[in-house]
């Protein structure tokens, strides 16, 4: 149901980038009850935790943008004198 819901929400299926990302998550991120991933069972070796690896590759996050100063106009103050 989750896949169908996602496809219905997108309206056009998955992009190639999203499909590749979901494939990586499926092969390297999802673990069985014994703690192995699909890639570990296929290649016969263990891989580092996907989330930890991703965080180490990202680096520092940029600072958030500064918010604009909100201008509150006084409706009682006239900008100019009507002629």
């Amino acid at each position: 149901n989750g896949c169908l819901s996602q496809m219905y929400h997108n309206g056009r299926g998955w992009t190639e980038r999203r499909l590749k990302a979901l494939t990586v998550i499926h092969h390297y991120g999802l673990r069985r009850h014994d703690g192995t991933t699909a890639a570990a069972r296929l290649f016969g070796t263990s891989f580092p935790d996907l989330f930890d690896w991703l965080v180490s590759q990202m680096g520092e996050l940029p600072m958030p943008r500064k918010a604009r100063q909100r201008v509150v106009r006084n409706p009682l103050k006239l900008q100019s004198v009507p002629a």
Side-chain angles (χ1 to χ4, degrees):
N1 286 343
C3 287
L4 293 176
S5 173
Q6 186 70 35
M7 287 180 71
Y8 177 76
H9 176 71
N10 288 344
R12 62 188 178 281
W14 287 318
T15 62
E16 288 295 319
R17 289 181 65 195
R18 180 177 283 186
L19 188 59
K20 286 180 183 180
L22 289 174
T23 302
V24 168
I25 290 171
H26 182 266
H27 291 310
Y28 294 94
L30 300 180
R31 297 186 179 273
R32 281 189 179 173
H33 65 279
D34 62 354
T36 61
T37 62
R41 290 188 303 276
L42 178 67
F43 296 115
T45 184
S46 63
F47 292 95
D49 185 52
L50 181 62
F51 183 74
D52 292 337
W53 179 85
L54 187 61
V55 169
S56 69
Q57 297 295 312
M58 279 181 23
E60 294 294 321
L61 294 176
M63 294 295 293
R65 296 187 312 179
K66 290 184 179 179
R68 288 186 184 178
Q69 296 294 329
R70 185 171 181 204
V71 178
V72 179
R73 304 224 185 260
N74 186 354
L76 300 177
K77 183 179 175 186
L78 293 175
Q79 298 296 326
S80 63
V81 178

